[in-house]
Amino acid sequence: MKKLLTILAASTMVISAPLSVVACKKTKTDIDNEFDYQALQQELRNSVQQIFDSNLKSDFDDYFFVDKKGGANGVEYPFGEKNDIEWFRSNQEEISKLNSPESKEVQESINKIINWNKVEDEINSLILTNINYKPILVSGKSPLKDGYYIQSLEVEEDLENKDIKVIISIGANFYYLNERQETQNDTLNNFKTSITILKELSADDLNKVKKDYQNALNTKENANSFVYKSDKGNLENNAQSINDKEEGKEIYSQIELILDTIDTNNGKIKFNNDFLINTNRDDIIKGSVSQTSSNWYWENGNFGNNEPSQTLKLALDGDAKAEDKFIKECSKNGSTWLRNSVKMHVKNIEELSAQYNDFAEVFNSFNLNSNLENTTFKKSLKNSNFKLELEDESDERNYIALFRANIEGIYFEYSGKKYELPTEQIVIKQLPFTNTIELYKKFIQNSFNFQKQMLGFNDDLIQENNPNYFFYLNKPNAWKTIEPTTPISATEGLEQLLEANPEATKYLVESDSSIDVFKYPSWDNGKSRWISFNENNDLYFYNSLLDTNYFFYLNTLFFSSGKMDKNDTLNFSLTFRTDFRILKVNESVSAWKLKD
């Protein structure tokens, strides 16, 4: 969709194709199912990576600064009596050769630091018991069945401080089943850390600075104070914005203020302010737990007879009062026009909504809390005081996403010498500028405007003779020279349809929303592989020319990245045309048409 960005110039919108995660084993493989497997494989990999990283960080944390007396919290010097700083200095080259006797000595010491049983315990409790992962687990066993290995060792000498830094890189093989149920493996990202052996300064002094820094980040007040304000739903883009020193300046400033609170030992300690925030874009918790379902429908080439359907008809015909009523009824809590099933996940959501009346049921802090339970995201916060405060009326109920971010490149100067601090993690909460009630109403309005424009209901000439309320889309220029019935990649074709409809696309910008066309009924994620049109300009979305007795619908999605699942992602649609089922691709009359 990158070409679309240039068309929209100043817009930051990305139209993405969300990937759905399924919990049932596939019996048929095609490109659509491959998308499912790829998404599930990536989610599994991200979860295992998080367990791997967080446990290894915890294991090595007390050894970040050591001297011959030991490290932090009473741990002993890890390399034995004879392997002192001089030994490391004289064996630098040999230690980097993993098969050398000197390197094997160091590796043996490192192995004693690692508590691999903790990793296996978390794999068992968070991965092997998760039914979603069963289709891609090899024989239902750990994806890290080989354990870990030391990828590399490097010894660096600080010529100024005379300290020695042992730089350690640890890897692991990652096993999973592909879409053909074949065993595949690759490697996790290496975990990297270091152990600094001090020549002159006391490890206790430097570990105190490190501990003060960690404690300052993890006070209950500070751990829960990082907030990113945005109304946009593209979580990957939001993560990138947080990293940016201008767009994320409030977070950066907040960290600087926290550094200012740390005891500087009468000015002897100075922290840098050119650190970086690196937000994890693969593991974001979103605040929706339920896809919405519409109570309007189509029959016999027209709208249904219930009030939602008839009001939608008037709204699409240009009746402003009907449109206002439609948007209001769809976006209100407890809507019977655009229903949600949040209470299946947050059982008392209706009572909470009535009690506070200041958040939208479809996305809020309570839903976030529900999504956070039993996740590797939450498990990785075990050393933090982070929690969603939801205990009294002063607590914020409108958070819509959670991000994990690393603070990287932090160092301090002590006695005229510079020392790097370990990477630490914070959690950032996304909060809309107003509240989720207003944000949801805005999303519904923009989604309605998009679909009305995209599907041709603002084209007065077309609507003068459209008794069946067919959907008319602008025909992309690239399609005007291809033969009818030619298969077009759905990913490329959807982008081309959006490019041909810039007046519709502008409505997606405010929320940075995404769209997709879903096929129904479907036993997989419903996403189409192909698009085609016939000589009558009927438009079709399909996976195979053998597809029959189905229909498809255009979905606008608020959350357009992060962990994606169309079953729990905030959405809006004019719904599927059950009155024009596709019995044969390229031959049946389609409710979707192309305008020349």
Side-chain angles (χ1 to χ4, degrees), residues 27-70:
T27 57
K28 169 184 165 186
T29 59
D30 54 26
I31 192 69
D32 192 44
N33 287 357
E34 288 178 18
F35 286 144
D36 277 337
Y37 269 78
Q38 290 170 10
L40 191 55
Q41 289 158 7
Q42 187 61 47
E43 184 178 329
L44 173 64
R45 192 182 193 282
N46 292 341
S47 296
V48 172
Q49 183 79 57
Q50 193 167 309
I51 292 171
F52 182 74
D53 289 343
S54 62
N55 278 283
L56 289 179
K57 183 186 185 310
S58 177
D59 289 340
F60 281 94
D61 196 54
D62 287 340
Y63 298 91
F64 198 77
F65 295 117
V66 299
D67 55 25
K68 286 301 292 183
K69 295 180 182 178

Side-chain angles (χ1 to χ4, degrees), residues 105-123:
E105 278 192 62
V106 177
Q107 292 175 51
E108 184 179 350
S109 298
I110 290 171
N111 289 335
K112 292 176 182 178
I113 293 174
I114 297 171
N115 185 350
W116 192 250
N117 288 334
K118 283 169 45 184
V119 175
E120 292 181 334
D121 288 344
E122 287 191 21
I123 294 286

Side-chain angles (χ1 to χ4, degrees), residues 229-254:
K229 286 198 172 184
S230 173
D231 286 345
K232 296 184 181 295
N234 189 311
L235 300 179
E236 185 171 315
N237 283 355
N238 291 349
Q240 188 60 44
S241 294
I242 290 170
N243 295 345
D244 184 85
K245 288 205 170 186
E246 182 57 35
E247 294 185 67
K249 60 184 177 183
E250 291 186 6
I251 306 295
Y252 277 93
S253 296
Q254 200 171 346

Side-chain angles (χ1 to χ4, degrees), residues 155-195:
V155 177
E156 287 186 357
E157 180 180 5
D158 189 314
L159 297 178
E160 180 183 0
N161 299 346
K162 305 301 181 184
D163 300 328
I164 288 290
K165 180 182 288 188
V166 183
I167 302 171
I168 305 159
S169 181
I170 299 172
N173 293 321
F174 174 73
Y175 291 86
Y176 60 94
L177 294 175
N178 63 21
E179 61 277 2
R180 295 179 294 278
Q181 293 293 284
E182 300 167 339
T183 299
Q184 284 191 212
N185 77 286
D186 55 26
T187 58
L188 295 182
N189 295 331
N190 290 334
F191 172 79
K192 296 180 180 181
T193 189
S194 64
I195 299 174

Side-chain angles (χ1 to χ4, degrees), residues 428-494:
I428 300 168
K429 297 174 282 192
Q430 182 177 341
L431 186 69
F433 287 110
T434 52
N435 57 51
T436 50
I437 293 174
E438 294 299 319
L439 182 58
Y440 186 46
K441 184 176 182 180
K442 190 187 301 180
F443 168 70
I444 297 297
Q445 181 70 69
N446 285 334
S447 299
F448 172 83
N449 291 343
F450 164 76
Q451 300 218 5
K452 183 182 179 185
Q453 178 70 38
M454 185 77 177
L455 301 178
F457 288 102
N458 286 334
D459 190 327
D460 294 337
L461 188 61
I462 287 288
Q463 296 308 318
E464 283 180 4
N465 185 28
N466 188 19
N468 294 122
Y469 286 86
F470 287 139
F471 299 163
Y472 283 93
L473 294 84
N474 293 342
K475 193 173 189 177
N477 288 331
W479 295 10
K480 294 179 181 179
T481 57
I482 65 176
E483 289 294 319
T485 73
T486 300
I488 302 165
S489 162
T491 302
E492 181 179 358
L494 192 54

